[in-house]
């Protein structure tokens, strides 16, 4: 069961990544990615993995020590939960990069490879995007409430 949830985690996120990377200008992509609910499937898997042993997880995250976190993540359930956590939040960050870059007019040929990098190493992908954003990306025009 845990192995299947682990395998399923990326599969439920992959279609959204594919849309952002391969079809960034497609109207349907923009509509789908506009919803933060795209992040829900891997987060539900995370919940399914964490809730059965919630007390141990809670203990490890509320009083974190390296040995306690290592012990938690060293189990199949812990590693699968960690993976679901990564995938869910990486997708959230990828979604933000996609949306922010579009509002700033950053070309998809720059952002699509960065999103691939973000799938693999999200913290570094976000750092690179923040650098790109500070150097190349003008601020989006402010809109009044009436224009929104």
């Amino acid at each position: 069961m845990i192995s299947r949830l682990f395998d399923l985690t990326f599969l439920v996120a992959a279609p959204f990544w594919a849309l952002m990377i391969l079809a960034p200008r497609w109207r349907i992509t923009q509509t789908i990615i506009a919803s933060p609910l795209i992040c829900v499937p891997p987060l539900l898997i995370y919940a399914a993995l964490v809730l059965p042993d919630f007390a141990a997880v809670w203990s490890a995250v509320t009083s974190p020590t390296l040995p306690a976190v290592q012990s938690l993540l060293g189990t199949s359930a812990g590693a699968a939960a960690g993976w679901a956590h990564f995938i869910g939040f990486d997708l959230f960050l990828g979604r933000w990069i996609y949306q922010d870059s579009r509002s700033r007019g950053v070309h998809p040929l720059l952002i699509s490879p960065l999103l691939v990098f973000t799938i693999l190493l999200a913290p570094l992908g976000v750092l690179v995007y923040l650098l790109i954003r500070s150097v190349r990306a003008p601020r989006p025009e402010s809109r009044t409430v009436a224009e929104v």
Side-chain angles (χ1 to χ4, degrees), residues 116-129:
V116 172
F117 184 68
T118 302
I119 292 171
L120 302 172
L121 298 166
L124 296 178
V126 172
L127 282 173
V128 170
Y129 179 67

Side-chain angles (χ1 to χ4, degrees), residues 16 19-20 23-34 98:
F16 304 114
L19 286 171
M20 292 186 288
R25 291 186 171 162
W26 191 28
R27 183 182 49 80
I28 293 172
T29 298
Q30 295 167 35
T31 301
I32 291 170
I33 302 304
Y98 169 84

